[in-house]
């Protein structure tokens, strides 16, 4: 996976000697303008302006091209629609708004611009924020924010300018998720987790679906994957549903900024109760459903046709999500799903029976244990389920029937701040490369089990473990290098460390667990 390049000439040293890319500098400046405004409110103000700048820049670039053509009419909206460019009326163009930025009426001017754009572009109706004229919004801050956004992509050629705006929009989405904490996790899956899912599934072409799509990050990364591997935007068809109207609006803008055409439905009743795409059978499904939802209305769906492997409990939606996703897979489709760790081992309310049925039907391809602190919404560890409609389909995969791959990635990743962890490029390559090797991809190295990290297991062995799917049960302990220190001395050191950590107030079970891991006995 390619790393995102930094913009030339816009690096800034931080206190610890590292450098900030231009996205981080913009975020720092924009966040300073926020003042006492809540991130959840400010998010729509800032992202709305970035979106407005994007579509205005795209329009002006197309308009300039049309003016250079003798036979083209630069004032004909159809000329723009044909190129998937939004028509922007004169009063909504960024140059006009930038000229009015210091006027006390700027809030109303922006709201009118949003209304005018929606009126001329049916696909944006009801999507754009129109709350800039509210009295509580500081108009001086708003003018300064317009000046800040005006500088994005300046002096760049048109296509590069729009790509930069897309990157800024995506960066700001993640930054707002971090600023909002638990609430932010409702609309944003961390980028490194999405990248891992995409690298594992490799959605080169076909139908991509997310039944709880949030702000659309799965789709953006899928399109980026296609482009980075020689494909084109349009090689994949994108479908999604989102129950939160505000989040759905963010997704629509996020995809529009990237020039991605998608069928994303706002569905206030949710994918379970009003499946907007009942006949869709997707080649790839990527999803991060809310964990352990207890009030999902399962009592009203006891006879649903989607429950092929058993009726999910009314008190937890995890196995409803898995079965909904499996139901929407094409005959050769694959899915990657983020769920809470409990989904791998819980046996109450029939969950163990559903898990057994999923395993025995040979639908579970791979299980990955993730480290803690990857998500904005929760500190608890999560896992990845990879489902396959058929383990013997596709020219690029070997016959994997009767086998499952377990990967324990709990020790991977690095802390990016005090509360959150991310996967590095090397972590993603290691995990995805292991999966590709196990599946038998033509250009992959031969697969080998690696104690403590990965192991290929037969379904019969999984059955011997009661169909519990925690990777730590199967991968074993990593080999511990012999450092020449006698066992007695090593135990004396650990005992001393135990006394020190207890003296510092650490919980006994935490201390013991860490020391056991150092001895090679870590497991789930």
């Amino acid at each position: 996976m390619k790393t995102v390049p930094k913009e030339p000439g816009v690096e800034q040293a931080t206190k610890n000697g590292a450098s900030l890319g231009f996205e981080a500098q913009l975020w720092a400046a924009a966040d300073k303008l926020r003042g006492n405004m809540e991130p959840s409110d400010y998010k729509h103000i800032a992202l709305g302006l970035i979106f407005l700048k994007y579509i205005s820049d795209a329009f002006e670039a197309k308009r300039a091209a049309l003016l250079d053509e003798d036979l083209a009419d630069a004032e004909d909206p159809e000329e723009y629609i044909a190129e998937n460019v939004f028509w922007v009326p004169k009063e909504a163009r960024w140059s006009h708004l930038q000229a009015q930025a210091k006027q006390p009426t700027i809030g109303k001017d922006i709201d009118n611009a949003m209304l005018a754009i929606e009126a001329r572009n049916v696909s944006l109706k009801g999507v754009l924020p129109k709350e800039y004229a509210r009295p509580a919004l500081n108009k001086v801050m708003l003018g300064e924010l317009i000046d800040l956004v005006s500088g994005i992509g300046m002096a760049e050629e048109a296509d590069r300018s729009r790509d930069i705006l897309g990157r800024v929009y995506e960066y700001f989405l993640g930054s707002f998720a971090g600023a909002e904490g638990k609430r932010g996790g409702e609309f944003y899956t961390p980028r490194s987790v999405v990248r891992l899912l995409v690298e594992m599934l490799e959605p080169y072409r076909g139908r991509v679906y997310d039944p709880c799509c949030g702000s659309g990050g799965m789709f953006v990364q899928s399109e980026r994957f296609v482009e980075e591997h020689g494909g084109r935007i349009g090689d994949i068809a994108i479908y999604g549903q989102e129950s939160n109207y505000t989040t759905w609006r963010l997704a629509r803008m996020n995809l529009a900024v990237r020039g991605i055409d998608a069928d994303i439905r706002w569905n206030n009743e949710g994918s379970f109760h009003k499946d907007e795409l009942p006949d869709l059978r997707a080649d790839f499904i990527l999803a991060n459903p809310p964990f352990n939802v207890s009030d999902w209305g399962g009592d009203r769906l006891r006879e649903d046709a989607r429950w092929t492997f058993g009726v999910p409990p009314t008190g937890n939606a995890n196995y409803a999500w898995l079965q909904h996703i499996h139901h929407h897979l094409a005959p050769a489709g694959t899915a990657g799903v983020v769920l809470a760790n409990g989904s791998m081992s819980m046996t109450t309310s029939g969950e163990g029976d559903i898990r057994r049925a999923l395993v025995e039907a040979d639908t579970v391809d791979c299980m990955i244990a993730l480290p803690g602190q990857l998500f904005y919404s929760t500190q608890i560890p999560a896992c990845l389920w990879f489902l396959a409609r058929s383990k013997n389909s596709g020219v690029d995969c070997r016959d994997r029937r009767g086998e499952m791959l377990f990967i324990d990635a709990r020790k991977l990743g690095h802390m990016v701040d005090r509360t959150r962890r991310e996967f590095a490029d090397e972590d993603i390559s290691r995990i995805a490369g292991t999966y590709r090797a196990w599946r038998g991809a033509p250009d992959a190295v031969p697969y080998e089990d690696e104690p403590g990290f990965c192991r290929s297991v037969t379904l019969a062995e999984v059955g011997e473990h009661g169909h519990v799917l925690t990777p730590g049960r199967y991968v074993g302990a990593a080999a511990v290098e012999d450092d020449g220190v006698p066992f007695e001395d090593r135990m004396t050191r650990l005992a001393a460390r135990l006394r020190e950590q207890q003296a510092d107030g650490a919980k006994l079970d935490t201390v013991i667990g860490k020391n056991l891991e150092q001895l090679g006995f870590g497991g789930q």
Side-chain angles (χ1 to χ4, degrees):
M1 175 65 75
K2 297 177 182 176
T3 55
V4 176
K6 289 182 172 63
E7 289 303 294
V10 279
E11 291 191 347
Q12 172 181 319
T14 61
K15 291 181 181 179
N16 62 7
S19 63
L20 292 175
F22 79 104
E23 299 103 324
Q25 291 187 61
L26 280 167
W27 166 257
D31 193 49
K32 185 177 180 180
L33 293 175
R34 175 169 64 88
N36 295 324
M37 194 174 184
E38 285 295 319
S40 55
D41 293 328
Y42 184 61
K43 171 177 64 189
H44 302 287
I45 300 300
L47 293 174
L49 289 177
I50 294 171
F51 178 80
L52 195 57
K53 172 92 164 42
Y54 168 83
I55 63 170
S56 185
D57 282 7
F59 172 84
E60 294 289 5
K62 178 62 180 174
R63 186 168 184 272
L66 289 173
L67 289 173
D68 287 339
E69 299 176 18
D70 292 337
L71 301 178
D73 181 2
E75 299 305 318
D76 180 5
E78 294 300 324
E79 295 280 1
Y80 298 83
I81 295 171
E83 296 292 328
N84 201 27
V85 174
F86 295 109
W87 170 264
V88 182
K90 289 181 180 179
E91 68 273 20
R93 294 171 195 172
W94 189 260
S95 56
H96 172 75
L97 296 173
Q98 188 178 3
Q100 302 298 314
K102 300 299 188 290
Q103 301 300 317
T105 58
I106 184 58
K108 186 171 179 55
D109 291 338
I110 297 173
D111 283 349
N112 289 339
M114 297 293 191
L115 287 167
I117 290 170
E118 286 191 354
R120 300 298 295 270
N121 300 275
V122 177
S123 64
L124 292 178
K125 189 171 181 59
V127 171
L128 306 184
K130 295 172 282 291
E131 49 201 20
Y132 295 87
R134 59 185 178 181
L137 186 60
N138 185 309
K139 300 306 182 289
V140 174
M141 176 275 288
L142 188 55
E144 291 177 347
L145 187 59
I146 290 173
D147 288 343
L148 184 69
V149 173
S150 296
I152 303 175
M154 271 186 61
E156 299 285 355
E157 54 93 12
D159 289 340
R160 180 166 167 76
S161 173
R162 295 198 297 275
D163 181 59
I164 290 171
L165 281 159
R167 283 162 50 188
V168 170
Y169 190 97
E170 184 181 0
Y171 187 90
F172 272 42
L173 273 174
S175 298
F176 278 118
E180 291 185 55
K182 185 173 182 179
R183 286 183 299 170
E186 296 175 0
F187 70 86
Y188 186 82
T189 303
R191 186 169 179 265
S192 72
V193 177
V194 178
R195 285 184 56 206
L196 176 58
L197 286 167
V198 170
E199 289 286 336
M200 297 274 288
L201 292 179
E202 299 183 295
Y204 287 108
R205 61 186 59 83
R207 298 173 298 275
V208 177
Y209 174 53
D210 185 344
C212 43
C213 69
S215 54
M218 301 284 190
F219 305 136
V220 171
Q221 292 294 335
S222 295
E223 288 276 11
R224 181 174 290 143
F225 178 88
V226 170
E227 288 187 302
E228 290 181 352
H229 290 79
R232 301 174 292 106
I233 286 183
D235 283 352
I236 58 176
I238 288 173
Y239 303 88
Q241 300 187 63
E242 173 55 45
S243 61
N244 183 297
Y245 181 70
T246 301
T247 303
W248 171 79
R249 289 165 56 197
L250 289 176
R252 292 293 303 276
M253 287 194 293
N254 191 18
L255 296 176
V257 161
R258 286 289 179 181
I260 298 173
D261 188 24
D263 183 359
I264 307 296
R265 311 281 181 92
W266 170 53
N267 178 3
N268 66 338
E269 295 183 43
S271 296
F272 293 138
H273 294 277
K274 186 184 177 185
D275 193 349
E276 289 280 352
L277 300 161
D279 299 321
L280 174 67
R281 297 297 178 266
D283 301 293
F284 306 97
I285 299 179
L286 304 92
N288 177 20
F291 294 173
N292 301 321
V293 175
S294 59
D295 57 349
W296 64 284
D299 55 321
R300 307 197 305 273
L301 295 171
R302 308 314 288 165
E303 305 297 327
D304 198 282
R306 288 170 290 184
W307 312 149
T308 306
F309 305 100
V311 180
T314 58
N316 193 311
N318 288 342
Y319 280 93
W321 281 115
L322 283 173
Q323 294 189 82
H324 172 85
I325 287 165
H326 183 271
H327 173 79
H328 277 285
L329 281 176
T334 53
V337 188
V338 186
L339 285 177
N341 267 3
S343 63
M344 299 188 289
S345 58
M346 291 291 289
T347 58
T348 56
S349 304
E351 288 176 302
D353 294 332
I354 300 173
R355 188 169 56 252
R356 182 185 71 247
L358 283 163
V359 171
E360 291 179 346
D362 217 358
T363 64
V364 184
D365 206 32
C366 176
M367 296 296 303
I368 300 178
L370 298 174
Q373 297 179 277
L374 280 176
F375 298 88
Y376 295 106
S377 55
T378 178
Q379 298 299 308
I380 66 171
C383 62
L384 299 181
W385 288 67
F386 286 87
L387 306 179
R389 268 285 187 175
S390 171
K391 295 183 182 179
N392 188 33
S393 61
V395 295
D396 294 334
C397 298
R398 68 178 180 88
D399 187 345
R400 310 180 305 285
R401 286 177 292 184
E403 301 174 40
M404 286 179 58
L405 177 65
F406 289 92
I407 297 177
D408 189 345
R410 289 177 295 161
K411 293 182 180 179
L412 300 186
H414 61 282
M415 299 301 292
V416 293
D417 55 39
R418 186 175 55 84
T419 61
R420 202 172 63 81
R421 182 182 299 271
E422 279 185 359
F423 285 129
D425 290 352
E426 305 80 58
D427 299 323
I428 294 171
S429 295
R430 183 184 180 190
I431 299 170
T434 299
Y435 184 52
R436 295 186 77 251
W438 178 78
R439 293 179 71 187
D443 58 344
V445 298
Y447 171 80
E448 291 184 6
D449 289 340
E450 183 180 336
F453 178 65
C454 64
R455 183 164 170 250
S456 183
V457 178
T458 65
L459 300 191
E461 183 177 344
V462 175
E464 292 171 4
H465 285 269
H467 301 93
V468 171
L469 301 181
T470 49
R473 281 184 174 241
Y474 302 96
V475 302
V480 179
E481 291 186 14
D482 184 1
D483 57 6
V485 179
F487 179 78
E488 294 80 3
D489 291 349
R490 187 179 290 115
M491 290 302 296
T492 299
R493 289 182 187 175
L494 289 174
R497 188 179 298 121
L498 176 64
R499 288 191 295 271
E500 291 172 3
Q501 291 170 326
Q502 278 193 281
D504 290 338
K507 291 184 178 180
L508 181 61
D509 57 349
T510 302
V511 173
I512 292 174
K514 289 182 177 178
N515 289 337
L516 283 174
E517 281 189 11
Q518 292 184 25
L519 287 173
F521 293 100
Q524 293 172 311

